[in-house]
Amino acid sequence: MEPELRITRLVILAITAVTGTFINSIIVVLNFRFWRDVTTSNSYNRLLFVIGLTNTILQVLFIFVTILETFSLYLLDENLLLYMITFCFTLIDVNIWNTTWLSLLCYVRLVNSSHCFYLKIKAKFFSSLPLLIVDSVLFAAAINLPLIWTTKLHRATNITDSSASGYFITLDAYYIIFSSLFAFSVPFSMTCISIGLSVSTLLRHIRRMELSDSHLTTAQLQGHYRAVKTMVIRVLLDFLFFFIVVLGVSEPLILNSTVYYVLWTAVLMYPTSQAFILVFGNPKLKSAVCGLMKC
């Protein structure tokens, strides 16, 4: 394995570890006080808290994984590698489902309707949001638990052309199909539908404001537009990340150490990229981060 690839990945890890952990920690701290507050506006902050916490744990996990790989500790006990893979995929699935809840929340907040049926659904969604978050965590853990005994590890015979862990990883085909369907396709479809409905609703609001006076102010519309734009970027990031993971588990590609390190470098940037998207899509977070950076 080329030392240039190892050095490049360590440099990227150091940059993403510092920036990603810093920004995600700020998101967690600023939104922690909203966790117990069950209201329309603060449910958004509670979701940001969960997403920031998940990203922080994922960022720390990536640092821990890199340390284990650097010192070849996986070769001492391959079960440790299986546990790390399972934990990592579980956190990724939780993140994808949190993106879905966030997109649904943005749509529910954007739609203004006085119909009693809609108001009941809206109230039910806000009151059930903590339960949905917990259920998505349990669901992700249940889906990825079989990874521990279905993942096949092949010890590399050629040390100069192997992954940093010393193993080539082959995931079970049934797991890939099942996980792709229920851990990605279903929440990804729900997110896309929510974003599509949010965009169409936002465009109708803008057209109504152009024709007559509306109770929505320009600042409110800009806030909705920012939220929708953030969700569009988030869903594109999740799709790109899923595509990278699929490439990473493809057997013809994992046998190439260069491709392996390129894909792993892209994975390292995932929590940091999410943090930047959330910060620049939220003026309060953006001002808080900029203020702390100036200090």
Side-chain angles (χ1 to χ4, degrees):
M1 191 246 326
E2 294 86 348
E4 294 82 3
L5 293 175
R6 183 187 293 272
I7 294 174
T8 301
R9 196 182 70 154
L10 289 176
V11 171
I12 294 176
L13 174 66
I15 296 174
T16 56
V18 174
T19 57
T21 305
F22 173 72
I23 296 177
N24 281 305
S25 298
I26 292 176
I27 294 174
V28 171
V29 172
L30 291 179
N31 292 283
F32 176 74
R33 59 193 178 94
F34 295 105
W35 177 251
R36 295 176 179 269
D37 202 348
V38 185
T39 62
T40 300
S41 58
N42 292 333
S43 294
Y44 178 75
N45 297 94
R46 284 192 299 171
L47 261 177
L48 288 183
F49 166 77
V50 175
I51 293 174
L53 181 62
T54 305
N55 283 331
T56 303
I57 298 174
L58 193 58
Q59 192 76 67
V60 174
L61 179 64
F62 285 157
I63 298 172
F64 188 55
V65 166
T66 305
I67 293 174
L68 293 176
E69 288 186 347
T70 302
F71 296 98
S72 302
L73 297 179
Y74 286 132
L75 297 176
L76 300 178
D77 186 5
E78 66 180 28
N79 289 329
L80 180 60
L81 178 57
L82 293 176
Y83 295 145
M84 297 301 290
I85 292 173
T86 303
F87 193 26
C88 184
F89 274 86
T90 300
L91 290 177
I92 292 169
D93 290 346
V94 170
N95 243 336
I96 293 175
W97 275 106
N98 285 337
T99 303
T100 300
W101 307 138
L102 190 60
S103 62
L104 287 172
L105 181 61
C106 289
Y107 173 69
V108 171
R109 291 177 62 188
L110 184 62
V111 175
N112 290 319
S113 175
S114 58
H115 196 280
C116 60
F117 180 72
Y118 172 77
L119 293 177
K120 290 181 180 179
I121 294 179
K122 184 176 182 178
K124 184 66 175 178
F125 176 75
F126 287 123
S127 61
S128 303
L129 188 58
L131 183 60
L132 290 174
I133 295 173
V134 174
D135 288 344
S136 61
V137 173
L138 297 177
F139 180 72
I143 284 183
N144 291 284
L145 188 61
L147 277 175
I148 298 177
W149 57 81
T150 60
T151 303
K152 297 180 181 179
L153 302 178
H154 309 282
R155 189 184 287 263
T157 56
N158 186 359
I159 303 300
T160 60
D161 189 27
S162 66
S163 63
S165 64
Y167 292 96
F168 290 121
I169 304 168
T170 304
L171 299 182
D172 183 72
Y174 293 104
Y175 164 79
I176 295 177
I177 296 174
F178 187 80
S179 179
S180 299
L181 179 61
F182 293 102
F184 179 79
S185 298
V186 172
F188 184 79
S189 300
M190 293 171 61
T191 302
C192 289
I193 293 173
S194 301
I195 291 175
L197 293 174
S198 298
V199 172
S200 62
T201 303
L202 185 62
L203 292 176
R204 286 197 299 268
H205 280 317
I206 294 175
R207 282 195 292 266
R208 280 199 296 266
M209 283 191 66
E210 292 175 348
L211 296 176
S212 61
D213 293 333
S214 175
H215 65 279
L216 281 176
T217 64
T218 303
Q220 288 175 318
L221 281 176
Q222 289 178 350
H224 292 317
Y225 173 73
R226 242 187 335 261
V228 172
K229 183 174 65 175
T230 301
M231 293 310 307
V232 171
I233 299 175
R234 275 294 306 273
V235 77
L236 291 177
L237 176 65
D238 286 339
F239 179 79
L240 179 61
F241 183 74
F242 177 77
F243 181 71
I244 291 173
V245 171
V246 171
L247 288 180
V249 299
S250 300
E251 189 169 349
L253 291 177
I254 62 175
L255 298 179
N256 186 300
S257 61
T258 303
V259 176
Y260 172 86
Y261 271 88
V262 171
L263 295 176
W264 181 242
T265 299
V267 170
L268 288 177
M269 301 174 66
Y270 178 66
T272 306
S273 301
Q274 281 197 336
F276 276 108
I277 292 172
L278 289 175
V279 167
F280 286 102
N282 190 308
K284 293 182 180 179
L285 290 177
K286 184 178 179 180
S287 61
V289 172
C290 293
L292 289 175
M293 292 181 67
K294 290 179 181 179
C295 294

